[in-house]
Amino acid sequence: MTSAFVTDFNIALICRIIPAIFHPIYCGLALTVAAEIVEPEKAQDAVSKVIMGVSAGMIIGVPITTFIATTLGYQYAMLWFSLVTFIALIATIIFFPSLPGKKQSYGNQVKVATTGVFIISVLGVIFLNGGLYTAYAYISEFLNMITHILGFELSIVLFIYGIASIIGNWLGAKLLNSNSKKTALIFPIVFSILMIGLFIFSRAKLPVIILMFAWGILAGIANDISQYWMVSAAPEAPEFANGIFLSMGNVGVTLGTTIAGAVVAGMGVQYVMIAAIIVMIIDLILLFTRTYKYPIKQMDNSI
């Protein structure tokens, strides 16, 4: 709420940083609690619902906040943001379950970060998200310049992508419960095939729209894979692992955006799809190494 009334840029920046710090803490806590309050075999479904909620919030929240800022101004957008956050606080107080705390020191949790399986899992999550965002970081420019999807059409296509990602969150949980190893290893291959399709049909609107819907589904599945990949590497410290999942996802976004910027500047926006494939090949190597060098019982639930 303070952001709605400040006139000093530095104070406004601080007001932006503080929520950014607490956002991954809240999401990590929600992911951990969701897995703990259900039977073990339903844990991934519960976690996927939390991720689905985060995705839905972004899909609905960003357009609404943008609309309010455009029509009424920044101050009203921040007041709207404060109202929604207050509602979330009340819902948390009412519905969040009271669970007994686990006596585990922070040092013991952080110790898992030194294990080989955790380190390679971190790299796998970084490059998985890096591959996604190498392609997605400049998707608006790609659709504008290459496919000639502009204005309202662009908004609709991106909205379709967002809705598809929610479907992907649900589907990803089902696939991981069915066969986690195959789901993780096949994903980079399927995503690379989709990138090839976008590169080939980049100037045809209908095929691109269909591929964007499929891309959205894959993005949702990728979120589930990333979260599962981290927690299964440190089942004894799920709170820490969920926090790292969110942090490393952001590192992957930074990596992908940086690569995409270099490709756009040097070769053109259409070649970000090829760059994304290269990043995904690196990720496939990491996922394959993790799967076979560090076999974990949770990963092999149907092998």
Side-chain angles (χ1 to χ4, degrees), residues 62-85:
V62 172
I64 291 176
T65 305
T66 303
F67 174 78
I68 294 173
T70 302
T71 56
L72 299 176
Y74 173 81
Q75 186 177 50
Y76 286 94
M78 290 299 100
L79 290 174
W80 160 254
F81 177 77
S82 299
L83 174 62
V84 173
T85 304

Side-chain angles (χ1 to χ4, degrees), residues 51-179:
I51 298 175
M52 194 182 304
V54 174
S55 299
M58 293 177 63
I59 293 166
I60 298 172
V62 172
I64 291 176
T65 305
T66 303
F67 174 78
I68 294 173
T70 302
T71 56
L72 299 176
Y74 173 81
Q75 186 177 50
Y76 286 94
M78 290 299 100
L79 290 174
W80 160 254
F81 177 77
S82 299
L83 174 62
V84 173
T85 304
F86 181 73
I87 293 172
L89 172 63
I90 298 301
T92 301
I93 294 172
I94 296 174
F95 297 109
F96 214 73
S98 178
L99 298 173
K102 295 181 180 179
K103 293 183 178 181
Q104 187 177 21
S105 70
Y106 187 71
N108 287 335
Q109 293 188 64
V110 175
K111 191 182 296 183
V112 302
T114 62
T115 62
V117 63
F118 195 85
I119 292 171
I120 198 167
S121 298
V122 164
L123 293 173
V125 169
I126 289 173
F127 277 89
L128 181 63
N129 286 275
L132 287 171
Y133 278 86
T134 296
Y136 189 76
Y138 287 86
I139 190 60
S140 294
E141 286 79 2
F142 178 87
L143 295 175
N144 280 333
M145 296 173 60
I146 308 299
T147 317
H148 302 297
I149 295 177
L150 309 167
F152 183 72
E153 279 187 348
L154 177 62
S155 299
I156 293 297
V157 171
L158 294 179
F159 182 76
I160 290 172
Y161 172 93
I163 294 298
S165 71
I166 298 176
I167 298 173
N169 291 147
W170 172 82
L171 181 60
K174 303 300 180 185
L175 293 172
L176 287 169
N177 282 333
S178 175
N179 195 313

Side-chain angles (χ1 to χ4, degrees), residues 161 164-165 167-169 171 187 212-222:
Y161 172 93
S165 71
I167 298 173
N169 291 147
L171 181 60
F187 179 87
M212 285 296 296
F213 180 79
W215 186 354
I217 291 177
L218 290 179
I221 294 173

